[in-house]
Amino acid sequence: MKNLLLAFSTVFLLIACEKGKTDASKTSDKTDSATVSSDWKPVDTATANKAWMEFATPGDMHKMLAKSDGNWTGENTMWMEEGGQPMKSTSQATNKMIYGGRYQMSEHKGDFMGMPFEGMSITGYDNAKKKFVSTWIDNMGTGIMYMEGEWNAANKSIEFKGKMTDPARPGKDCDIREIYTFVDDNTQKLEMFGPGSKTGKEMKTMEILFTRKK
């Protein structure tokens, strides 16, 4: 594994260098400041290999995610607009760590307004960014939602922030926020916030209480 990562990082650096040479030759009439990022710093091979190894090695945050592996039942509450009546439903979720414990894949199934619902998320902890990262797709859209999150040790929660497509405003994204709380080993809570359809101000749009199946 170590040799593979070393080889990969070396190839990556070579490709990056060659690309840099190509780009530089195409823009030889420009100044150096225009062809090289202002925050670029040269990195030797040993340093690059060490960085790749640290980036690729699962840590404590990945182990914490792994504790959520298994099957869960969700009690869902959704609000379509400010002051609107909540809609209740249930769902099922299956979590599984993949790629050597680096990411957790979650598959969700349930019903939404009388229609079958399926969704999938990939969640991980980016060792370089020191943040959780997450993507989400489902059969109710054609976009991919991306979020980054900070760990709150006091509340045992991750607060994710990101953007998603707003179908009501073509070509526009809207800000979203999620708080994922690890209540205990068998209970988790997801709260989602987004802009209200009438005011555009943030409102709570969904809450799911997950209970581990035994």
Side-chain angles (χ1 to χ4, degrees), residues 79-196:
W79 295 266
M80 299 301 292
E81 60 183 20
E82 303 94 324
Q85 290 295 315
M87 296 185 295
K88 303 279 188 176
S89 64
T90 60
S91 61
Q92 308 295 321
T94 301
N95 301 331
K96 180 182 179 181
M97 296 299 289
I98 60 175
Y99 295 154
R102 291 172 175 80
Y103 308 94
Q104 186 173 74
M105 179 174 67
S106 300
E107 294 184 287
H108 299 254
K109 292 184 178 181
D111 291 291
F112 177 72
M113 298 180 70
M115 296 181 291
F117 176 83
E118 292 182 288
M120 183 179 73
S121 67
I122 300 292
T123 302
Y125 183 78
D126 189 314
N127 289 334
K129 289 184 175 181
K130 305 299 182 186
K131 291 182 178 182
F132 285 90
V133 291
S134 181
T135 61
W136 171 264
I137 58 174
D138 58 49
N139 65 335
M140 296 293 177
T142 53
I144 299 178
M145 185 169 69
Y146 175 77
M147 296 182 292
E148 295 184 355
E150 302 277 358
W151 171 245
N152 186 321
N155 297 332
K156 294 183 178 179
S157 66
I158 307 171
E159 182 175 15
F160 287 100
K161 294 181 179 179
K163 292 183 178 294
M164 64 178 292
T165 302
D166 184 353
R169 299 188 304 152
K172 301 291 184 179
D173 290 335
C174 62
D175 295 322
I176 53 171
R177 184 167 65 93
E178 288 185 357
I179 300 177
Y180 206 104
T181 304
F182 298 81
V183 180
D184 56 44
D185 289 344
N186 299 308
T187 311
Q188 298 177 356
K189 182 172 67 173
L190 170 64
E191 299 171 276
M192 185 171 182
F193 303 83

Side-chain angles (χ1 to χ4, degrees), residues 67-81:
K67 292 180 180 179
S68 298
D69 271 10
N71 300 315
W72 299 73
T73 297
E75 296 180 11
N76 315 323
T77 305
M78 298 186 66
W79 295 266
M80 299 301 292
E81 60 183 20

